[in-house]
Amino acid sequence: MITVSYSPGNLEWKWYAKWLENDLFRRKISPDKTAYTILIPPPNVTGILHMGHILNNTIQDVLIRRARQKNRSVFWIPGTDHAGISLQIKVEKELAKENKTRHDVGREAFLDLARKWREKHGNIILDQLKKLGVSCDWSALKYTFDPDYYRVVLATFVEWYRRGYIYRGSRLINWCPVSMTALSDEEVIMREQNSILYYVKYEIVEKPGTFITVATTRPETIMGDVAVAVYPADERYQDFIGLHCWRPILRESIPIIADEAVLKDFGTGALKITPAHDEVDFEIGQRHGLAAIGVIDKNGKLNHLAGPEFAGMDRFEARKRVGEYLKENGLLVKEENYVNNVGFSERANVPVEPMLSEQWFLKYPCVEEAKWAVQRGFICFRPERWEKTYTHWLDNIKDWCISRQLWWGHRIPVWYRKGTDRNEPQNWHVSVDGPEDPENWEQDEDVLDTWFSSAIWPLATLGWPDGGAMEEMGFDYFYPTADLVTGPDIIFFWVARMIMSGLSLLGDGEKALSDDEIRRRIPFRNVYFTGIIRDSIGRKMSKSLGNSPDPLDLIEQYGADGVRIGLLSMAPNGQDILFSEDRVAQGRKLCTKLWNSFRFRQQGGMEGDRSSLAAIVRRIDSSTLEVDDGAILGKLLGTMNEFERMMADYEFSRALQILHTFFWSDYCDWYIEISKMRTNETVWAVHDLILRQLLLLFHPFIPFVTEELWQGHGYGEKFLGEELLESGDELRCDLSRIDFGKMAEWIEEVERVRELVVAVRALRAQFGLASRRDVRFYFKADPLAKEIIDRHRRDIKYLLLTQFFDETAEALQLPTTVVALGSIYMDTGSLDMVEEKGRLGRELEQLDRLIEMNQKKLQDKDFLARAPQEIIGGARDLLAENIAKRKELEAVFSKLSSVS
RNA sequence: GGGCGGGUAGCUCAGUUGGUUAGAGCAACUGGUUUACACCCAGUAGGUCGCAGGUUCGAGUCCUGUCCCGCCCACCA
């Protein structure tokens, strides 16, 4: 038996603990079953649970629980990410409270602090996820900084280095002057800025008194200029190409060159070349063999190469001062306001500085195969459109700067022989364990980009590359994984890189891969991209706006079940989601309603075997089975089939809506109500059957309350989570004693009766008589319809709150409503004739419009000639129905007319 | 500059190869303690489907153009 009222707080933790106790989530390798694996997108150890996690993990849990219901061998691998730069910042902030920097405590002590921080806070988010009910196999928990994971990361580096994909080089990279590290292109976000475009005069060396003017937004880099470039065919500057000009600050002769990369229509068409601080300039410099002079330091301040006047000055201060200097010296032609795009560091939120720097790079492996895998559908993106984004990125891919000047991260496994030139590869040692004579070497100080370790998440979590570990984890059985659920914002950061990693690392050769080989190596078969959760007016949720609800508060208030189903119901397929707490409240209401429907059932007595589907079916006695019972069972089967179709397409919110409508409208509002009139064993068995199927269908979405009801209602020994789900067709076989040939007919019949009841309710509501019990009704129907009405007369009387529902032979002079089954007249005892005439008149008018429309269509020769038969037939039926209806109304109407 | 997504009831969204009178939930309004549930029940109202053309017997759905909103990518300094 279940308790009177539903309170999620009490029961949720109870069941989660029991599930864990009974090891329900642990993977099992069963050769006779198909494997189904999901990798959790590892949340950052620094993260706290937000709505995005809730959505993400709810979807994963739904998929996982459904896979269990379908007898798959399920493995959901949980884990966390060490969150490189993010955790480093947290620890540095704590140090800052004591007025210390990481350099004060030193590398080892700093790493200890970071580890301690993670031990203390790192698993909070996992505990929060448990509150949500996620059914991960916790015995497989991974952390990207686990010692074994750490080794895999290094092994990957070594392997790719060995294959020539990783190299060290001096390139122009994105430098963050606040975090003091290099960043990848993906970590730079472009922002519109109000800038000033300075037009600066450079005097021609060979022609004193003649100038070439360049336009720049970055005058503070003039000291690093090594040339001025123009478009080769630019007629304005033909005479200047090959000459020289004087750099206006730190006066020096620099060449005037021609390069196709210059846009002649921008500014003056002349471009100052500063290879150390601009990407285009760098490339031009390379083409022309120019040196690069870096005038900005890693902390964002100008260095000694900028000259004594500006050295030590912040780059933005220097910009202003250089501007003033140029003006004072008559070198500034003009300045104008200008809006341009500037790259910002994602984390520190300051403009990045393009800087020439020695870093480690990865030339991505298997780029073409990665494209192919998705194009050929070996990996299926949902929604499909993300394929384009993915392909476009791969088409324009550039080498990945993987080294970070941080301490918290996987340290690059490269050692340099002490006292030798680091630029010479023969002085390098690259291995996981380091050189055997460490005293003669010093290790590279840098660590790897966090995303480097994330890229091998599907491999490392399953034990790769260690044979023993792979066997223990069941690599061959569980890889490739089935579904990846993530946000489209990390399609480059993570998804694409995982695909390339899998393709590359699961083989050793670099030869072209066959389709079969690709299928074997891909890390997952489906990628489901969720929408991004926004607030109710479409803004991104953020801490600073304070528009993000605390998921734990929501769970507290509405229960994890309510939050889960509420969120899913508002999540259209792959579209952004406008969060509304209202929906979450509705989620809880659904749980409550489910609960209460069981309370209704239990008031009917708990006799009857419910321990299995077969047992319930046995209790159904065909001789007492009525049309209503058959109809609701038929609807259940239809609902199950449609639900399955939607779920197969990952259309969660639509699937839920179908289920919701069946449960609430068909089962509760109709079937429960009419079954109150007859309480025999067959009816209770039908209830047990429907409730049982509802629990199974709802369970992946609302696991806690369904488990409570399952156990409380005595549905079996096993946990609901262990029970298999029949398909609609399978259930149909189990119900083979029912005459399914008539099912469609039954459903149709019940629909007609419902139509009648609804129409009459509306009629009486219009007369303000909704709750009066003394209203009499009369009906006029043809023999076939009368048979139906007779069959349901008891239900109709009950639902219409009336004692009188009698047959009549003629149109009565009473308020009336006409439905497919016939005409219903309402005897109110007294009646405002004028009011009723007006009402009927309006209804007639509307019918006339419909009839006219229909007739027109059916008289259209083209329509008759070209439209398919069933459409024409449908139109004919509709017309006939409306004409009949009109005739009935007309009869009453004319009677009223004759009276007044 | 290129690409993607969206514009349907006051709000959030469905609408599946074009086909009967465009749907749901919420909000609004009216009425209701009928032996599961007021976290409920019953009912009412509300839409020229962004705009303009076109294809078609028939367009919310297909095509073209156009206007808004959002996102992603891009080396105009």
Side-chain angles (χ1 to χ4, degrees):
Chain A
M1 290 294 278
I2 58 165
T3 55
V4 173
S5 62
Y6 166 60
S7 70
N10 298 334
L11 63 88
E12 293 186 347
W13 258 130
K14 176 183 79 184
W15 288 115
Y16 200 80
K18 285 198 182 180
W19 293 332
L20 288 183
E21 256 169 52
N22 288 275
D23 239 1
L24 252 58
F25 306 152
R26 187 187 278 274
R27 70 188 176 281
K28 284 184 205 76
I29 298 176
S30 324
D32 53 320
K33 290 190 191 176
T34 313
Y36 180 88
T37 317
I38 289 185
L39 291 157
I40 208 167
N44 283 351
V45 288
T46 54
I48 50 157
L49 196 69
H50 58 68
M51 293 314 292
H53 292 124
I54 297 275
L55 176 67
N56 222 315
N57 287 283
T58 298
I59 291 174
Q60 290 175 73
D61 198 43
V62 167
L63 291 170
I64 281 285
R65 286 176 187 271
R66 271 183 56 81
R68 287 198 194 97
Q69 288 185 324
K70 295 191 162 178
N71 206 20
R72 301 289 189 77
S73 184
V74 164
F75 188 13
W76 187 3
I77 310 172
T80 49
D81 190 283
H82 68 283
I85 195 166
S86 172
L87 179 51
Q88 169 143 348
I89 288 171
K90 286 225 187 277
V91 176
E92 282 178 336
K93 271 190 184 155
E94 295 208 343
L95 283 176
K97 285 182 197 157
E98 304 162 32
N99 279 324
K100 284 189 196 158
T101 69
R102 67 184 209 242
H103 301 283
D104 296 331
V105 299
R107 187 162 189 144
E108 281 317 310
F110 182 84
L111 292 180
D112 269 346
L113 287 173
R115 282 190 200 100
K116 284 201 181 98
W117 192 97
R118 182 260 164 177
E119 269 160 34
K120 200 166 159 200
H121 307 281
N123 286 331
I124 291 176
I125 193 158
L126 296 180
D127 292 335
Q128 293 176 320
L129 282 176
K130 287 175 183 167
K131 287 228 162 69
L132 185 65
V134 295
S135 54
C136 305
D137 180 352
W138 295 108
S139 71
L141 184 68
K142 278 280 171 194
Y143 170 47
T144 54
F145 229 52
D146 282 337
D148 54 341
Y149 200 110
Y150 198 116
R151 284 182 65 84
V152 180
V153 173
L154 301 193
T156 301
F157 182 99
V158 171
E159 179 62 16
W160 272 336
Y161 174 77
R162 191 182 65 77
R163 295 194 204 174
Y165 287 109
I166 285 179
Y167 63 92
R168 186 161 181 265
S170 184
R171 297 289 165 104
L172 205 72
I173 48 89
N174 308 294
W175 183 263
C176 174
V178 170
S179 309
M180 296 284 275
T181 178
L183 302 173
S184 66
D185 295 342
E186 286 70 32
E187 289 164 291
V188 176
I189 39 177
M190 301 307 277
R191 291 238 179 93
E192 272 199 355
Q193 292 293 297
N194 293 315
S195 306
I196 295 169
L197 192 57
Y198 297 84
Y199 288 76
V200 186
K201 292 196 322 190
Y202 288 47
E203 188 171 19
I204 310 291
V205 174
E206 289 85 351
K207 298 181 179 176
T210 313
F211 295 87
I212 185 166
T213 303
V214 305
T216 181
T217 53
R218 303 210 53 196
E220 74 276 17
T221 63
I222 284 177
M223 296 74 91
D225 286 356
V226 294
V228 166
V230 298
Y231 187 73
D234 193 332
E235 59 282 355
R236 290 172 295 183
Y237 299 120
Q238 287 304 309
D239 294 346
F240 294 164
I241 296 171
L243 302 183
H244 296 77
C245 59
W246 292 110
R247 184 163 63 203
I249 304 176
L250 297 185
R251 186 176 164 90
E252 191 167 318
S253 169
I254 55 177
I256 299 173
I257 59 176
D259 194 285
E260 305 242 331
V262 181
L263 299 157
K264 50 192 270 194
D265 296 329
F266 184 87
T268 61
L271 172 65
K272 73 185 204 60
I273 303 298
T274 323
H277 296 291
D278 184 277
E279 174 106 40
V280 181
D281 293 10
F282 180 76
E283 282 163 18
I284 294 175
Q286 293 272 295
R287 281 197 284 274
H288 295 264
L290 299 167
I293 306 171
V295 294
I296 301 175
D297 256 348
K298 297 193 162 168
N299 54 12
K301 290 183 172 150
L302 272 63
N303 62 22
H304 68 282
L305 293 174
E309 198 158 340
F310 301 105
M313 200 178 279
D314 179 79
R315 53 191 171 147
F316 300 112
E317 172 68 10
R319 181 176 303 174
K320 240 170 68 192
R321 297 292 296 276
V322 169
E324 286 161 13
Y325 173 92
L326 293 169
K327 202 180 230 170
E328 286 158 14
N329 290 279
L331 294 165
L332 192 65
V333 178
K334 61 171 173 177
E335 44 191 294
E336 52 190 40
N337 291 325
Y338 182 67
V339 176
N340 63 344
N341 286 317
V342 176
F344 275 66
S345 152
E346 195 190 27
R347 293 260 165 221
N349 200 26
V350 293
V352 295
E353 192 55 48
M355 207 174 266
L356 194 59
S357 171
E358 192 82 19
Q359 301 286 344
W360 288 95
F361 295 88
L362 172 70
K363 176 177 146 48
Y364 289 98
C366 292
V367 174
E368 289 310 312
E369 287 87 345
K371 262 190 266 181
W372 184 245
V374 171
Q375 271 162 13
R376 277 298 306 275
F378 302 148
I379 298 172
C380 183
F381 282 7
R382 298 165 202 276
E384 220 177 14
R385 63 186 137 90
W386 292 111
E387 262 185 58
K388 267 198 172 176
T389 308
Y390 169 83
T391 308
H392 182 257
W393 186 72
L394 286 176
D395 280 339
N396 298 285
I397 201 161
K398 286 192 279 185
D399 294 352
W400 175 13
C401 175
I402 51 174
S403 42
R404 295 289 176 275
Q405 287 63 53
L406 304 170
W407 285 353
W408 181 245
H410 304 89
R411 192 154 172 189
I412 291 176
V414 175
W415 285 258
Y416 306 98
R417 187 176 289 281
K418 279 182 184 164
T420 61
D421 184 359
R422 283 190 171 201
N423 291 317
E424 294 299 327
Q426 66 262 31
N427 297 328
W428 302 354
H429 172 97
V430 182
S431 77
V432 173
D433 297 308
E436 283 171 11
D437 52 340
E439 63 280 5
N440 298 320
W441 301 81
E442 46 199 9
Q443 190 176 0
D444 195 299
E445 283 77 20
D446 293 349
V447 301
L448 290 162
D449 184 356
T450 306
W451 292 106
F452 186 91
S453 59
S454 311
I456 54 168
W457 183 245
L459 303 172
T461 48
L462 285 167
W464 180 88
D466 178 77
M470 284 166 83
E471 193 168 334
E472 194 199 321
M473 297 304 293
F475 188 99
D476 290 339
Y477 185 68
F478 291 112
Y479 190 98
T481 70
D483 294 321
L484 177 75
V485 180
T486 187
D489 49 335
I490 51 175
I491 191 167
F492 312 137
F493 278 115
W494 196 43
V495 179
R497 288 167 178 170
M498 279 193 287
I499 295 173
M500 288 185 280
S501 301
L503 288 171
S504 165
L505 294 168
L506 286 184
D508 47 15
E510 306 309 324
K511 52 188 180 296
L513 301 180
S514 69
D515 284 357
D516 282 345
E517 193 55 30
I518 288 177
R519 261 192 287 245
R520 188 183 72 81
R521 295 188 191 183
I522 51 173
F524 28 73
R525 295 197 189 86
N526 294 294
V527 185
Y528 180 88
F529 290 108
T530 66
I532 291 170
I533 301 196
R534 302 171 172 281
D535 69 6
S536 61
I537 53 173
R539 296 175 306 180
K540 238 180 184 167
M541 286 191 167
S542 73
K543 261 190 224 158
S544 54
L545 281 172
N547 57 352
S548 176
D550 180 349
L552 293 178
D553 287 349
L554 290 176
I555 289 175
E556 179 84 11
Q557 203 179 340
Y558 301 103
D561 284 332
V563 172
R564 290 167 62 119
I565 203 165
L567 200 55
L568 274 192
S569 73
M570 76 179 105
N573 213 349
Q575 222 97 279
D576 283 359
I577 296 135
L578 300 195
F579 179 79
S580 114
E581 190 164 332
D582 220 51
R583 286 295 189 103
V584 177
Q586 282 173 53
R588 175 176 176 151
K589 282 185 188 179
L590 180 85
C591 298
T592 307
K593 184 84 173 171
L594 195 60
W595 188 274
N596 284 324
S597 65
F598 271 85
R599 288 193 55 227
F600 166 76
R601 167 64 192 89
Q602 296 200 347
Q603 283 186 1
M606 295 292 278
E607 308 80 30
D609 191 351
R610 290 178 298 277
S611 60
S612 71
L613 180 61
I616 296 170
V617 172
R618 271 197 299 276
R619 285 161 49 210
I620 296 178
D621 175 0
S622 310
S623 67
T624 53
L625 193 79
E626 294 189 9
V627 173
D628 285 306
D629 309 321
I632 195 70
L633 290 174
K635 278 222 161 178
L636 172 67
L637 296 179
T639 302
M640 285 173 70
N641 286 334
E642 211 175 334
F643 176 80
E644 285 301 320
R645 266 202 305 280
M646 294 294 138
M647 289 304 290
D649 285 340
Y650 296 75
E651 300 249 27
F652 307 111
S653 63
R654 288 180 69 187
L656 274 176
Q657 204 184 333
I658 286 160
L659 211 50
H660 182 278
T661 303
F662 171 77
F663 165 62
W664 206 297
S665 160
D666 294 325
Y667 176 63
C668 291
D669 290 347
W670 187 260
Y671 187 71
I672 286 188
E673 286 310 312
I674 54 163
S675 65
K676 282 175 182 171
M677 291 292 92
R678 41 188 276 269
T679 49
N680 61 42
E681 186 50 26
T682 294
V683 173
W684 290 128
V686 170
H687 279 296
D688 284 338
L689 182 92
I690 290 168
L691 289 170
R692 181 182 187 279
Q693 293 313 118
L694 282 170
L695 288 185
L696 281 162
L697 293 168
F698 272 125
H699 181 252
F701 302 92
I702 43 175
F704 296 114
V705 66
T706 48
E707 183 75 83
E708 174 79 14
L709 292 170
W710 181 268
Q711 302 288 340
H713 200 57
Y715 271 126
E717 301 289 299
K718 287 197 282 187
F719 287 100
L720 175 51
E722 297 175 291
E723 206 71 35
L724 299 184
L725 171 70
E726 297 86 1
S727 69
D729 289 339
E730 284 167 333
L731 186 59
R732 197 181 165 126
C733 289
D734 292 332
L735 292 171
S736 56
R737 296 161 60 204
I738 296 171
D739 182 355
F740 280 93
K742 292 201 169 148
M743 200 153 258
E745 212 175 291
W746 293 338
I747 292 174
E748 172 69 15
E749 180 172 320
V750 170
E751 284 309 311
R752 292 279 151 132
V753 176
R754 279 177 83 168
E755 183 200 4
L756 184 151
V757 169
V758 167
V760 176
R761 278 171 176 166
L763 181 67
R764 69 191 298 174
Q766 277 171 45
F767 283 86
L769 302 167
S771 52
R772 282 267 298 276
R773 287 159 180 274
D774 56 348
V775 181
R776 287 164 180 266
F777 293 96
Y778 302 92
F779 69 91
K780 186 157 76 76
D782 63 39
L784 212 67
K786 180 180 180 297
E787 219 181 280
I788 293 174
I789 289 175
D790 279 342
R791 219 172 5 244
H792 296 270
R793 200 185 294 216
R794 183 192 49 201
D795 302 335
I796 292 170
K797 281 163 79 173
Y798 172 69
L799 294 168
L800 292 181
L801 294 173
T802 182
Q803 302 298 318
F804 308 96
F805 194 75
D806 297 331
E807 199 182 354
T808 179
E810 52 165 339
L812 300 176
Q813 184 193 315
L814 290 170
T816 185
T817 184
V818 180
V819 292
L821 286 173
S823 309
I824 319 294
Y825 307 93
M826 180 172 71
D827 187 354
T828 62
S830 67
L831 175 63
D832 181 340
M833 291 299 178
V834 181
E835 170 69 28
E836 174 61 1
K837 251 180 77 179
R839 192 186 67 83
L840 282 181
R842 285 193 297 276
E843 209 166 313
L844 279 170
E845 264 172 45
Q846 204 193 335
L847 263 179
D848 282 339
R849 269 201 305 277
L850 289 177
I851 289 168
E852 195 191 339
M853 238 168 68
N854 244 292
Q855 279 173 338
K856 223 186 226 167
K857 191 184 251 181
L858 283 166
Q859 280 158 11
D860 186 332
K861 278 201 277 310
D862 290 324
F863 175 70
L864 292 175
R866 299 185 198 211
Q869 276 311 309
E870 67 264 28
I871 297 293
I872 298 174
R876 286 215 173 99
D877 291 350
L878 186 67
L879 180 62
E881 205 177 295
N882 282 332
I883 287 177
K885 198 169 170 181
R886 192 188 188 289
K887 216 171 115 194
E888 289 297 320
L889 285 177
E890 180 71 50
V892 182
F893 187 73
S894 57
K895 277 211 165 185
L896 288 180
S897 305
S898 65
V899 169
S900 53

